[in-house]
Amino acid sequence: QKEVEQNSGPLSVPEGAIASLNCTYSDRGSQSFFWYRQYSGKSPELIMSIYSNGDKEDGRFTAQLNKASQYVSLLIRDSQPSDSATYLCAVKGTGGGNKLTFGTGTQLKVEL
Amino acid sequence: GAVVSQHPSWVICKSGTSVKIECRSLDFQATTMFWYRQFPKQSLMLMATSNEGSKATYEQGVEKDKFLINHASLTLSTLTVTSAHPEDSSFYICSAPPKAGGGTGELFFGEGSRLTVL
């Protein structure tokens, strides 16, 4: 079982729609969860971080965390073509330090 | 916010040569930096943790004699790919936590270095 799992996609949504990206993780003791956006050929860019159960909103982005289900998601409202990228879910496990485990990423395509 | 700069952004070298990649924290001190490698259409895989003033910690399966890491100052870590081979061609990305000792897991990434070994 992979430590962090994501559907590779591509996930296609029309412009203006809500894009929903999902991620599950195996380390039940994980405490920190992150969503990174990665454009082709570029390095990852931090979009959202979430540490407690529930929702966290920042502009058009909402991260949702359910530790009981070991599930974290990212919603993108009013999707724009510029949101087209690969979204990486990253989890900090129970080990010390800042070591993150990344999922394989979900490719999002926002179509005009 | 915290800025991590990486150089070179891309490099092409001949098989058997060595290549050095630099990673700098521009506006903060980084006692720890992380080196990741990403093959096409795959996720980031942690190669090693670079520790200022001490030896790097390598992940399982990463050859420490091939991927030399030096973290000589609080703002600079280097990765040297020695005797590079075509299978080492990849996107190498460094990262650092924005706060020394910060344990939330948040990381800021350098721009990445694309290595092509002919």
Side-chain angles (χ1 to χ4, degrees), chain A residues 31-34 36 38 40-46 49 51 88-89 92 97-105 107, chain B residues 34 36 38 41-44 46 49 59 91 93 97-99 101-112 114:
Chain A
Q31 295 296 320
S32 304
F33 308 86
F34 306 90
Y36 285 85
Q38 186 176 25
S40 181
K42 303 294 185 182
S43 67
E45 172 191 11
L46 181 64
S49 60
Y51 306 103
L88 301 170
C89 173
K92 178 179 180 295
N98 284 59
K99 188 188 295 188
L100 294 185
T101 300
F102 285 82
T104 52
Q107 184 184 5
Chain B
F34 299 91
Y36 288 85
Q38 186 178 37
K41 300 208 180 289
Q42 295 187 23
S43 189
L44 281 72
L46 180 65
T49 302
E59 295 299 303
F91 192 46
I93 315 173
K99 295 180 180 179
T104 63
E106 185 175 354
L107 293 177
F108 289 92
F109 285 85
E111 303 94 329
R114 186 162 303 282

Side-chain angles (χ1 to χ4, degrees), chain A residues 16-85:
Chain A
I18 296 175
S20 177
L21 305 165
N22 304 314
C23 172
T24 58
Y25 58 94
S26 61
D27 185 346
R28 182 171 288 278
S30 299
Q31 295 296 320
S32 304
F33 308 86
F34 306 90
W35 283 99
Y36 285 85
R37 178 175 63 196
Q38 186 176 25
Y39 292 112
S40 181
K42 303 294 185 182
S43 67
E45 172 191 11
L46 181 64
I47 297 296
M48 291 284 288
S49 60
I50 187 166
Y51 306 103
S52 55
N53 280 328
D55 295 358
K56 179 181 177 182
E57 185 175 321
D58 184 1
R60 295 186 297 112
F61 299 96
T62 298
Q64 299 174 318
L65 175 62
N66 184 327
K67 291 184 179 179
S69 300
Q70 295 174 239
Y71 174 92
V72 58
S73 65
L74 179 70
L75 300 178
I76 306 174
R77 289 181 298 281
D78 189 23
S79 296
Q80 301 296 309
S82 58
D83 295 326
S84 298

